[in-house]
Amino acid sequence: MRVATWNVNSVLARVARLNEWLDLTQPDVVCLQEIKCPSDAFPGEGAVERGYEVAAYGDGRWNGVAILSRVGLEQVSRGFAAQPGYAAPTDEDELVLVDVPTPPVVEARAIAATCGPARLWSVYVPNGRSLDSPHFSYKLEWLSALRNALAGEVNADGPFILTGDFNIAPTDADVWDPSAFIGSTHVTDAERTRLAELRALGLEDVVPRALKYDTPYTYWDYRAGMFHKNQGMRIDLVYANRAAASRVTDAYVDREARKGKAPSDHAPVVVDLDI
């Protein structure tokens, strides 16, 4: 069984690339993030033609997630219990957390489904923006709520995989230059503690191999030729319970998918399991 995760950074802008990649890579399940389109506008015709079922969760803003599966797509859930909300801003920079938002704004950042023998979650963790931003507090609160939501699923007898864009580098070895991130999000102790709390549920970090260079970065900023300099980060993660992790036969970052015309700034992570 081949499982992949990919932040496509707008599926509408990247649908041709996605379909070409499906033909080339032949994944059984694909978890997508940052689709940036409403659920009912997801361009899934090409995937359906290729034998995939599609479940999408998006509101047309800067988030959105989806799962494509050709091994079954059942028990689909969108969002999770006690997912944090916030007061509706007129601009993204004006996000303000409130204890009881009225009406609550719950972003489309998590979708789960049973695909054949495995239960999978595709998540797009909030970015956090800056350490003094309310977005950062929201990110930490969101991760804590996610942990609580997963507690009842991780230790099931069957394979369980939590994957997506976490917007956190697990260690300093997962960024091209730790000194470049001092005072920034994605590398703080608070964020890494939240990741450790997720792993403590019984999840293992499935670290992929790099197709080029030594470190399996998954994200490179569009600016300043950072991809060609390999100045990246490993923030797209695959966390698996023992039933899944023990069956992993290979895992790699498909760096080739980051090349070419109008790519996403993320590369897919591909995991093969003997299930």
Side-chain angles (χ1 to χ4, degrees):
M1 183 176 179
R2 173 164 282 186
V3 174
T5 183
W6 192 5
N7 178 324
V8 291
N9 189 14
S10 177
V11 69
L12 295 174
R14 240 66 74 176
V15 64
R17 292 184 65 111
L18 172 61
N19 290 334
E20 291 171 3
W21 182 81
L22 291 174
D23 290 336
L24 179 66
T25 309
Q26 294 292 311
D28 295 300
V29 182
V30 184
C31 295
L32 300 176
Q33 302 86 41
E34 203 173 355
I35 62 173
K36 291 184 177 177
C37 71
S39 303
D40 57 4
F42 186 92
E45 297 84 357
V48 171
E49 291 172 359
R50 289 163 172 79
Y52 292 90
E53 296 178 78
V54 177
Y57 180 37
D59 58 16
R61 292 161 69 86
W62 55 86
N63 43 58
V65 286
I67 297 177
L68 316 180
S69 174
R70 62 180 186 182
V71 292
L73 190 68
E74 301 177 349
Q75 297 174 303
V76 175
S77 61
R78 293 169 172 84
F80 51 86
Q83 183 173 334
Y86 57 84
T90 56
D91 180 83
E92 190 176 352
D93 286 320
E94 297 176 11
L95 179 150
V96 178
L97 292 174
V98 294
D99 293 332
V100 185
T102 306
V105 174
V106 177
E107 295 183 304
R109 292 187 176 274
I111 188 170
T114 300
C115 304
R119 181 70 174 170
L120 292 103
W121 280 63
S122 175
V123 300
Y124 180 36
V125 175
N127 179 283
R129 298 212 167 198
S130 63
L131 301 186
D132 59 353
S133 167
H135 285 264
F136 187 69
S137 299
Y138 169 57
K139 179 179 190 174
L140 299 180
E141 184 182 353
W142 195 94
L143 285 162
S144 292
L146 175 66
R147 181 197 180 281
N148 293 337
L150 294 178
E153 291 198 29
V154 168
N155 293 315
D157 292 336
F160 176 91
I161 297 173
L162 167 68
T163 188
D165 177 1
F166 284 76
N167 274 312
I168 305 169
T171 71
D172 280 354
D174 295 305
V175 297
W176 67 275
D177 180 4
S179 67
F181 294 88
I182 294 174
S184 301
T185 61
H186 291 55
V187 299
T188 66
D189 289 342
E191 292 164 292
R192 289 173 172 171
T193 295
R194 297 304 191 280
L195 281 186
E197 290 170 351
L198 286 173
R199 292 192 299 269
L201 291 173
L203 296 171
E204 300 181 28
D205 186 357
V206 178
V207 180
R209 59 186 174 89
L211 294 184
K212 186 178 181 180
Y213 303 112
D214 296 329
T215 306
Y217 298 138
T218 64
Y219 165 83
W220 301 260
D221 196 290
Y222 287 126
R223 297 171 295 180
M226 295 186 74
F227 176 68
H228 301 290
K229 299 174 186 176
N230 199 38
Q231 295 177 346
M233 308 174 71
R234 185 173 77 95
I235 58 176
D236 302 87
L237 309 175
V238 178
Y239 282 178
N241 71 354
R242 188 58 189 162
S246 64
R247 293 178 167 92
V248 172
T249 59
D250 192 17
Y252 66 93
V253 178
D254 188 355
R255 194 175 186 275
E256 295 299 306
R258 177 62 173 76
K259 298 179 179 179
K261 183 179 179 181
S264 170
D265 44 4
H266 296 250
V269 178
V270 182
V271 179
D272 290 329
L273 305 102
D274 183 13
I275 300 179

